[in-house]
Amino acid sequence: MIESEPNVVAFKPRKPVTHHPRSLMERIYAAGSLSIRADDRATKMAAIMLQALGFLVIEEILADGTPRRLNRGEARQALDRPWRLSKPAFSGTVGVPDGGGAFPA
């Protein structure tokens, strides 16, 4: 009798994709918004920096699925939830069309 080795393939857990702040901002501006997983801390750190500069809006997704906008300084306390990153409205008010006529997500 010949023993054979088991055909087991170990899959590594998927690592979060790290985004450079510039490419992250370009992706958000092209799509309007971008969802970030709760465990993607590298991308969240880049997003916090871009939020501080006024380049994007961060919303945490609550347990019931509703988004809650995070003001500057609140984002570090909400790292355990998924986020949605959106481009800000040029008018300064979320929900008001920007210069291109598109509503921010």
Side-chain angles (χ1 to χ4, degrees):
M1 179 172 170
I2 300 174
E3 282 189 44
S4 63
E5 293 183 30
N7 291 333
V8 177
V9 178
F11 290 99
K12 294 180 182 178
R14 184 174 172 229
K15 293 182 181 179
V17 178
T18 304
H19 297 285
H20 184 275
R22 181 177 174 173
S23 67
L24 177 62
M25 192 171 67
E26 288 172 351
R27 289 183 61 200
I28 293 166
Y29 277 50
S33 68
L34 181 67
S35 297
I36 304 297
R37 296 185 344 215
D39 64 347
D40 191 351
R41 292 189 182 265
T43 302
K44 288 181 176 185
M45 289 298 123
I48 289 171
M49 182 188 73
L50 292 170
Q51 180 196 34
L53 297 171
F55 291 127
L56 58 84
V57 174
I58 299 175
E59 295 173 307
E60 71 173 323
I61 306 302
L62 302 175
D64 63 357
T66 59
R68 183 180 80 86
R69 185 173 179 179
L70 298 175
N71 295 315
R72 291 179 183 159
E74 291 183 319
R76 289 190 190 273
Q77 288 76 37
L79 290 173
D80 59 333
R81 294 209 175 269
W83 287 1
R84 181 173 64 185
L85 308 177
S86 305
K87 71 178 193 174
F90 291 120
S91 65
T93 306
V94 174
V96 174
D98 64 16
F103 285 96

